[in-house]
Amino acid sequence: MIASRGDRRRSALLEALDEHLRDAGPDARLDDINVADLSRRAGVTRSAFYFYFDNKADAVAGLLEEMHDDGLSAAELLAGDGAVRDQVAAAIRTVLSGWERRRHVYRAMLEARATSPGVRERWDSAQEGFVRIAADVIDAERRAGLAPPGPDAHAVATVLLDVNDRALARLVQDAAELDWERHVDAVVHVWLSTIYGRNA
């Protein structure tokens, strides 16, 4: 499918925003982003920015679409062959490593969702999609006798996604002090222990 001119302009703005956040480093703040500079970097007019996005927080939310590619890849892993518990572990690592490569975007997303109700709603909606996938896996493993019974699967999946969220917040806030690989190992352990019990 050939991208329309409008699609290309929107993509150029998102790419410029991504580059700006990466270049600005850990001290980047949405308030410091100059829309005119961002638009010039994208090769479009300032008015074009506001044609596609309500504000800078809304533009950061637009970057979520790229992030979801990693999330969807993780979901696809759960449909593959092999033990589901191994697929769950691989999926969690895929999601966390995808965000680790784009921690500059996650840092901006934390700020955007804290200041914009609309962005928070979009984030929550996206997360709910992953909660449903995880809940379905938990229910299926329980029915198959591979996971012990426990609290409502949707509630468990919500808490597990919250664990991921907090882990990523630690990554962007305490990156220098954090052994990320060991932290990911611990997150995977929490997921498997929660789903499969003490024998995980």
Side-chain angles (χ1 to χ4, degrees), residues 25-189:
D27 296 325
R29 296 292 177 268
L30 291 183
D31 284 346
D32 298 333
I33 297 174
N34 184 296
V35 171
D37 289 344
L38 194 66
S39 300
R40 278 195 296 274
R41 190 172 193 162
V44 302
T45 64
R46 187 175 184 274
S47 61
F49 178 91
Y50 289 106
F51 177 81
Y52 296 106
F53 307 108
D54 293 337
N55 49 46
K56 291 177 281 190
D58 186 43
V60 170
L63 288 173
L64 271 181
E65 296 165 6
E66 184 178 332
M67 305 298 100
H68 287 166
D69 287 344
D70 284 314
L72 292 174
S73 295
E76 289 167 2
L77 285 172
L78 295 175
D81 296 326
V84 172
R85 62 192 298 152
D86 295 336
Q87 295 169 14
V88 169
I92 299 310
R93 293 184 189 282
T94 296
V95 169
L96 295 181
S97 64
W99 278 109
E100 193 275 337
R101 292 191 302 272
R102 300 180 184 95
R103 67 180 73 178
H104 58 290
V105 177
Y106 198 86
R107 186 181 297 112
M109 177 53 62
L110 287 175
E111 184 180 355
R113 75 188 203 204
T115 58
S116 169
V119 170
R120 179 70 195 187
E121 183 177 343
R122 288 167 68 179
W123 173 267
D124 288 345
S125 177
Q127 287 296 92
E128 179 58 26
F130 296 121
V131 166
R132 287 194 296 271
I133 291 169
D136 287 346
V137 168
I138 293 169
D139 276 333
E141 291 292 88
R142 288 175 177 177
R143 287 193 301 272
L146 298 172
D152 174 73
H154 188 276
V156 171
T158 300
V159 170
L160 290 174
L161 265 293
D162 286 345
V163 169
N164 285 15
D165 197 24
R166 179 58 190 145
L168 289 164
R170 286 284 308 278
L171 172 67
V172 301
Q173 293 163 353
D174 306 310
E177 295 78 26
L178 187 64
D179 182 336
W180 181 239
E181 289 304 317
R182 192 165 73 171
H183 205 64
V184 171
D185 287 343
V187 172
V188 170
H189 175 75

